[in-house]
Amino acid sequence: MRPFLSYLLFLFGLFFFPSGLCRAQDGEFISLSLSNGKVNARIPLDLMGKRIYLASVIEQTSDAGEGVSGQMSDNCLPLEFAFDGSDLTVRYLVKPSLVDISGEIPSAIGKSSLVPDWKKFKANLSSDKSAVDADLTELFADHFNILHVFPVSAYNSQGGMVMRKHTVVREKSSVLAVENRENSAEVVSDMFFKMDGYVYGMMKVAGDFSVRAIVRKMLFAATEESCGEMLESVPEIEDLTLSSNVLQDSFSPVLEKRFACRHSLDSTGHLVFHIDVPSVWKPYVREGVLAWNTAFEKAGRGDVLQVRDAGEAENLSPYDSRIIYAPTGMQEVETNSLRDPFSGEMFSTTICLHENALQKYVSQLRFQTAATNPAVRVPQVADSVAGSVLKLLVMQAVGKSLGLVRNPAASSSYPVDSLCSVSFTRNYGIVSSVMENPVFNCVASSEDVVRGVLLVQNRPGPLDEVSIAWLYGDESVRKKALERLRNDEYLRPKAPSLKSGALPDGLSSPYSANRDLGDDAFLSFEKYSVNQKAFFPQAVDLFSGNDPDLSLTAETLKGIADEYATKVVHLCSFAGGCQTVDGTVLSLPASLQRKGVRKTIEALRDMEWFRFPKERLLPYGTVEFIADVYRTNIFNTLLGRYEKVQLCASLDCQSQDSPVSGNLFPTGYSTKDFVTDIYLGIFPERLPPGGLESYQMNWQLAFVEFLAGKSASDSCCRETLLRIRNNAIAMKCRPGTDSANHYAYLRFITDKALNIENN
Amino acid sequence: MKYSIFPISLLLLLCSLATLPAEAASARGSKKKKNEVTAPSPKPLSDYEKLFSGKKCTSREGLLTLHDVEGKLFVEMPLSLMDRDVMIGSTISAVTDNRIVSVGEKPKAPMVVTFCLDGKKVNMCRKRFDLLARGDEFERSLVRNTLLGIISSFDIKAYSPDSTAVVLDMTDMFLGNNIAELNPMPASNPASNTQINTQFKRDLSLLGDIKAFEDNVSVRSRLSFTVTMRDNAKRSVIMADSPFTVEVTRSIVLLPEKPVMPRLADPRIGVFFTKKSVFGDSSEGVKSVFYAQRWRLEPSDSAAYAAGEVVEPVKPIVFYIDDTFPEFWKPYVAEGVERWNEAFEKIGFRNAVRALPYPSDDESFDPDNIKYNCVRYSPSEVANSMGPSWTDPRTGEIISASVYIYHNIVKLLSSWLFIQTAPADPSVRTVNIPREILGEGIAYVVAHEVGHCLGLMHNMAGSSSIPVDSLRSASFTAKYGTTYSIMDYARFNYVARESDKGVRLMPPSIGEYDFYAIDWLYRPVAGASTPEEETPVLRRFISERSGNPVYRYGKQQVVAKIDPSSFEEDLGDDPVKSALYGIENLKYIAANIDSWVGGEDPDYSFRLRMKNELVTQYQRYVTRALYNIGGIYLNERFEGDERESYAPVSGADQRRTVNFLLEQTKSLDWIDRMAGAGWPLTSPVAPTMGTALFKTIVQRCGSLWYCTPLMGEDAYGQKDFLKDISTFVWKPSREGKRLSEIEMELQSQFISYLMTNSYTPANTPQQMPPQKRFADESEVWGFGQFAGMQGALPATRHICFSFLQDSLNLLKRFAQSSSDADSRAHYRMLAARIEQHLK
């Protein structure tokens, strides 16, 4: 297998680099000069037909919400120059839709992969005939949306995705300076844009919004160490991949092959991150970067990641990765890498730490651990606490820059009891990969916290070590990594991979949920809710004396409550959920799905502890209606799992080319079981002494309406309606009571529903 | 305004003499050259000279030097002004049609810009003032990420002869329409509910007067448009492609070089604010801080002030009174302005606010200059007034403020005075309200608007803590008036009866809350040198009074109305009681209006108008009471404050309100009886109003769900509510009475409500995010507006179903027992509807 793969990759490389890459040492690079606002370029003839790249970086901006000072473009454009004696043509290199490694249809491939001319400039040969002179002002002063100077999309304050389109206003824009470097030619322009924003690409939400930015555009060559061997991806590793359609031979179907995107470490062996963040953040950012060195060391590479303070006036090259502070209210850490669209080689990465990203996750830490962790029960957490969160965010962002993708299944690796163990968490962390969406140890008890159990993941996990070994180790290291992955029970994936996108056909796995923790969600929830119940009633005085306007108290109580709701919804997701067993995707066993339904209803019942006597001292809306809202909304969410249960019960196979490997088998949990479990959960055989609570009546009504909607297509829903009708008739209630009225009403609407169906 | 050529010619002459001696000399010299071959060649004109050479020019020197050169505006801008913050605002000076904009209005908020030298051009840039950074590194990052946005770029035409200034051609800025903040035309007029589309006509626009002073300049432009105006309500076109010209004065004012120390606003007191986002304060993320908007008011003698003496401020807040006001208005307008001095004197400032006539001896005075605060009069049909202000965006310091009084405010005042106070005050029982009373109303309006100009927001709870019966007390109202805040929309005393002699019928000159608000906003905090140092003192000031309802602040509820004590147009602490008094007074008016104004109103126009006003006033009373049902009193509360954040209206009060309102639905005939013999034919309104009121009452059932869980032992729930309604609507039937039309209609409406709410066709329950809440916290408290709640529907259907079944049983019984044939038919019809529904 291996020799064949190498051969395949060799051929693959030949196809992708037919004209060869431009090398710095091949000769002088492009030389630019500025005259009367015009950018004159001298391009050595040696560079003609060789691949170079165009990228940009924002040096200053009028609105950091559009793009942050220091932020690289989202992409780089692969270009080549051609000179025909009078015109200099810039060609935009497009990745061919099909790679023929059989060599059987090169002519057809060639005709279908014509390199398009993109720009044309009048040009002359230099006096020594070694170079071409041309005015390239347009290339630098214009704006073209295929180069993403600003991030293409952003979330607005309502959480909607806004796509942005920028149009440069040339009369207000000007070229400020040019700079020639060994491997790049750069132009700095003061650019003025009109920006239009569209929500979901359709609805215009911002028009003619003005943005000004000092933008550095860079033409640069690939470095000598580029073009390392391309590595075909394996499904077990959650890595960033580049896909290509490959024709192996003329009798085989076209194969989609995925190759890992990664840095080339062949030359210096180092990846340097230039840090431009406030001093108070620096130690934690530094730790977050360097934490990955352990993983590299285990892969046989020492001191790979390095950090350096970005100098005040230092212009970084397109090869320099950077971590910058962004003064915006965005709650994200943005990570974007410049990479070769042909080979996937990553040149550099920009990590933007938006100010409110730290706030968001410090708040998450508070919401998840305030019950047990005194360190977060203060309005302003200590630097070391905030720093530990910052380090986690940086670790994850650096992980992305190394070619890893998020891995929401990594939090379901460890046994719940181990999460309460000081030694275990100190040795292994709380999740097996920092690429998991940030989650904090909400399972450990107050006593565990006092003993020193880890609350915030502080290192790349064992899964990260395997991933790094796979991506950056030599062949033997990779082999061992894969073996470890397949044999270690903690590391074996429990949920289908998400790296290729969402699971097909609406499937979902509770093991890849956000903010879940531990291998047993039910046990984890039990421990977590014990912590919350003990704490919540006292939480009104959480910041006593230090929160004058009570806003933080209210926000925290609501956050804690919302976190609880998220956990209950997680229980709900076991109904109709799937999992991975030895690489095969299966529906969850019936017992687990049933447990999901029952535990959800139990948890929703058990919400009286959300009420507490001092609620009127807090702003209106903090806690008064929370239990009612959750009971209604989460119950409806539970009903919404019906389709998932149906899907899991009916599908038993799938097509081969699906990213989900393996088959689905009916597990014995049908929609009938699902409906019955809910029925049993919400319809008591006897009336409780105090009658039904309002929320119970709501559930029963919602359930009846739900069944009525399904009864035409599902006989078990019709049967259950009949059962409810009979239950309503049989229920002994004192006349005139709420319960009596309710059951009379239930009988009325079930009759209606059944009649409607009979008609 | 006329654009006379004479002054331009005269100035051209002066300008020529001043700026072109070299040219003249050169010209003279050229004659000699013909004969003298060896004469030196003439000195070439400088770029500066070329701009004016041989052209008609008018120049004004001041903060900037302005040159009107044959209709083009050249601005000589000193280099020393580069990078300074400058405010540019527009005021309407003359207009074709004041339905679109009125003279004196500032149609857009001023913009604050910075002029920046950039090689051969000067950029007019927009700065972001809404962001702050704490610490050098955060500051550096913020600077990099808030590059000045360029609004316009001007080529430098020349340097001044002494090279201290650059000359820019700014004609397009003042005669163009590309800068939104300078566009005088609105896109709509909310007051008249009209939509306005305009097309700018550059070729019909020209430059007007230019003025320059030491600290500001102004440029008047005559801008022409074609305008299409549509009435949104009637969907009709009021004017189509009509020519429209507006003269607008743009003022350029330098902001203070030394910004005033801001004061941090507090949501527990109603003060306008300027919001800032602060970076770098902590790991808690971007923080919002709010600067209170206020004037820079500093004691002229700090030592005396500190010793407790009352002193004049360094710079008083001066309002100039429009000289076009009707003469009899002027003293009342001035009085309205200067009423606020009482509040300032309590905190040690004498003559802090001054009302002056337009100065006749000051050539620099221009009411359209943003530098001057004016109370403007608009001869307009609009029945309104406004008090906007413009602030330094760096600090919230109020730089300029205006009051607009539209003429028809007198119509509004007359109506209020008649409808609200005629029972208690015989002197207003007339078509023509006595001038001194109307004048007092004008003073009240002006004082309210000046309150806004001083930085105060509405306090809709201002009147809500006064016991209703105290409003009938001469001694109480003499001391407190009708409200604790003139910033409330508490109008005139509609509670007082004819027998309440000596009761004050108007709001106080300034209320107790207003004294408190001015104290909080303007009293210097001794020893504090930063906003943060002031804050503990200011917070304590409010907290110490948090138990006293006099100082309660109630937000204006623009979107959702939850708090029944925080309403416009209400009076007193009990909306039912005040409504009962008010309704009795309206009945008194209805019964006596003919005798009061018959002789003055031969064509009935006044009485017909008053009938409409009476209906409107009645609706105010019942609407205020309506929000008692499911009402929740809301308070901004800080830790340690005495008052709770919220409290539901008590169950007893809710039940009382329901019964009061239900009785009203059948008690409206007196309104129709108002139009007695001799009146023009008018449509009866009582049945429509009764039905509409009933529907509105029943719809409050949903709001009870939010309120009931918050109540204690006396909880008034949806079941109680429906039971009260049921008892009410079936009462005449139980008593075996023949049903009136309105009684039949109310029973029918009740059945409709029960049917609608007792069955929903089968559907899938709505999926909502689990955490979807009733309200976003930012909308409930703090500086935001309350915007409503949404969430799970309560379990009411079975209750309605139960009432529906009960109703069916009753109807069957009534259909058997009623002695009246019409009533029996009605019962059978309703029973059939229910049976069909239940089938």
Side-chain angles (χ1 to χ4, degrees), chain A residues 212 279 356 380 636 705 745, chain B residues 137 148 282 758 767 797:
Chain A
R212 184 184 171 200
S279 304
N356 268 11
Q380 170 74 54
N636 287 349
E705 286 186 352
Y745 180 62
Chain B
E137 289 167 317
L148 295 175
S282 68
S758 63
Q767 296 277 325
R797 281 170 289 175

Side-chain angles (χ1 to χ4, degrees), chain B residues 617-686:
Chain B
Q617 189 68 23
Y618 175 84
Q619 286 170 336
R620 286 183 186 130
Y621 296 151
V622 291
T623 306
R624 298 304 158 262
L626 190 70
Y627 285 95
N628 256 7
I629 307 170
I632 301 168
Y633 304 115
L634 297 170
N635 294 310
E636 295 294 332
R637 180 181 183 276
F638 275 23
E639 198 165 9
D641 282 2
E642 285 187 44
R643 62 172 72 103
E644 293 178 324
S645 290
Y646 60 89
V649 176
S650 74
D653 279 345
Q654 298 207 37
R655 168 166 280 133
R656 188 167 60 94
T657 306
V658 170
N659 291 329
F660 157 70
L661 290 171
L662 288 172
E663 283 301 328
Q664 287 299 311
T665 60
K666 294 201 297 185
S667 316
L668 294 165
D669 290 348
W670 60 273
I671 296 178
D672 289 333
R673 285 200 300 274
M674 179 179 179
W679 281 52
L681 183 64
T682 55
S683 303
V685 295

Side-chain angles (χ1 to χ4, degrees), chain B residues 291-313:
Chain B
Y291 290 167
Q293 294 183 358
R294 58 182 193 142
W295 294 88
R296 187 189 293 235
L297 202 67
E298 294 159 335
S300 54
D301 182 340
S302 298
Y305 185 85
E309 291 180 31
V310 178
V311 301
E312 302 252 350

